[in-house]
Amino acid sequence: MAAAILIGLTLALTGCARSAPAPTHASPPSVSPVSPAPTAGAASAADTSTLDGISKDLEAADGANTQTEADQHTAEQAAATIDD
Amino acid sequence: MKHIATMAAVGAAVCAVSLATALPASAAGTPSVDGHSTLAQIQAAATTATSDRIASLKTAIGKVDANRSLTAGDRSTILARLNADLTAMSSLASKIAADTTVSTALSDYHDIFTGYRVYAVALPQAFDAAAADRLTGTAIPALQSAHDKLARELAAHPTKWTDTLKAQLADMQAKISDASTHANGLAARALAVTPAQYNADKTVMTGIRADLKTSVGDTKAAAADGHALVEALK
């Protein structure tokens, strides 16, 4: 009898455990080896902004280089024109 | 019929501020003039030569006016010179048309070339100076700014930088420094050349053009380094 009660209690507790809703405590955060820590995430946002600024500088340089080559080419063409 | 070829700026981003100018395609259509030419032949040749130069000078003046990369001083110097040449060409055209002897006409005709060197000196030095001013005023400062920002990135996040990336950053700075060395003072050197100097030494512009070519090559290489680094750091 006592054993039956014990088994019943065990089964009840197990069933309750199975059917119980998620524990009230928060799930542990998933930790991935590649997930950035919160501080590194903030640095990534700053990096994006910095890289955008660098790209803008490079685009300005590219534009200037293209126009410089155009002027250089025109100078060479003028110089190649017979001037005698 | 003599065609005047319009020089188009190279590259995808052709900008109105480039000093494209109208240039004669070649001298093939220009009547040859020598001591055996008649007065009429000399006058006809002079009309062609002065007309070509007037057209080229007017186009160049318009572009110089619009060029915002030229320093104020260089723009002023170039415009003064081109306008003076324009006036001279018009004066020579009128004078030669009114010349009554072959010897006078021939002397005036040669002055079109040796006295002004519009194609050998005036136009090239204007374009070379514009190119040099753009290098020192825009391209090189922009590249230096990009490099310095990348260097701060390296200092802030050293673990993100491999030895290869560090070497590329160093190369970027080396190219910027070399570009600067070759471009500094280049506009002044170009604008200092005179027709008389060219008459004495027809290679007088060669070194200037070589330095310009080196500087442009450096700035393009530095920009390529910068772009590669940005991609690697994303």
Side-chain angles (χ1 to χ4, degrees):
Chain A
M1 183 64 176
I5 293 171
L6 181 61
I7 291 170
L9 280 174
T10 303
L11 287 173
L13 287 171
T14 304
C16 286
R18 283 205 192 105
S19 62
T24 54
H25 63 84
S27 299
S30 63
V31 178
S32 163
V34 300
S35 297
T39 52
S44 294
D47 290 349
T48 300
S49 172
T50 301
L51 292 178
D52 284 347
I54 296 168
S55 292
K56 282 192 171 65
D57 286 337
L58 293 173
E59 283 163 14
D62 288 340
N65 281 340
T66 298
Q67 293 172 28
T68 298
E69 282 190 296
D71 288 337
Q72 185 186 15
H73 178 73
T74 306
E76 288 170 356
Q77 291 282 346
T81 304
I82 294 175
D83 206 0
D84 288 309
Chain B
M1 176 183 288
K2 192 170 176 116
H3 298 281
I4 296 178
T6 301
M7 305 304 298
V10 295
V14 173
C15 178
V17 299
S18 71
L19 292 178
T21 188
L23 296 172
S26 71
T30 305
S32 61
V33 169
D34 58 28
H36 301 288
S37 302
T38 65
L39 180 60
Q41 287 172 331
I42 297 169
Q43 289 169 329
T47 298
T48 299
T50 53
S51 295
D52 286 347
R53 283 154 179 77
I54 287 169
S56 296
L57 286 164
K58 283 182 176 176
T59 301
I61 287 167
K63 297 300 181 183
V64 169
D65 269 337
N67 189 315
R68 290 294 161 255
S69 295
L70 277 164
T71 64
D74 287 347
R75 179 184 292 107
S76 177
T77 298
I78 292 169
L79 286 175
R81 194 161 301 165
L82 295 182
N83 278 299
D85 284 357
L86 186 62
T87 301
M89 289 299 115
S90 295
S91 297
L92 274 171
S94 299
K95 185 176 188 302
I96 295 170
D99 284 340
T100 57
T101 66
V102 168
S103 61
T104 304
L106 202 53
S107 174
D108 290 338
Y109 176 77
H110 285 306
D111 199 30
I112 294 172
F113 311 100
T114 60
Y116 300 94
R117 294 295 182 193
V118 171
Y119 292 122
V121 176
L123 294 177
Q125 71 187 168
F127 303 158
D128 287 341
D133 280 352
R134 191 174 287 112
L135 283 170
T136 56
T138 305
I140 293 171
L143 287 167
Q144 190 64 64
S145 174
H147 169 274
D148 293 348
K149 288 173 184 171
L150 285 164
R152 285 196 287 274
E153 265 298 292
L154 167 58
H157 307 290
T159 57
K160 291 167 67 175
W161 287 71
T162 62
D163 286 346
T164 301
L165 293 181
K166 290 175 190 173
Q168 192 155 28
L169 185 65
D171 183 73
M172 184 179 180
Q173 182 60 70
K175 291 293 190 294
I176 292 168
S177 298
D178 195 61
S180 190
T181 297
H182 284 89
N184 283 344
L186 196 56
R189 283 169 55 200
L191 294 177
V193 176
T194 64
Q197 288 175 335
Y198 179 84
N199 292 339
D201 175 13
K202 297 199 174 171
T203 67
V204 68
M205 300 282 288
T206 303
I208 293 166
R209 205 147 293 137
D211 283 342
L212 183 60
K213 188 174 180 181
T214 298
S215 188
V216 171
D218 284 338
T219 53
K220 289 174 70 176
D225 281 337
H227 283 296
L229 287 167
V230 168
E231 282 306 306
L233 293 172
K234 281 181 179 173

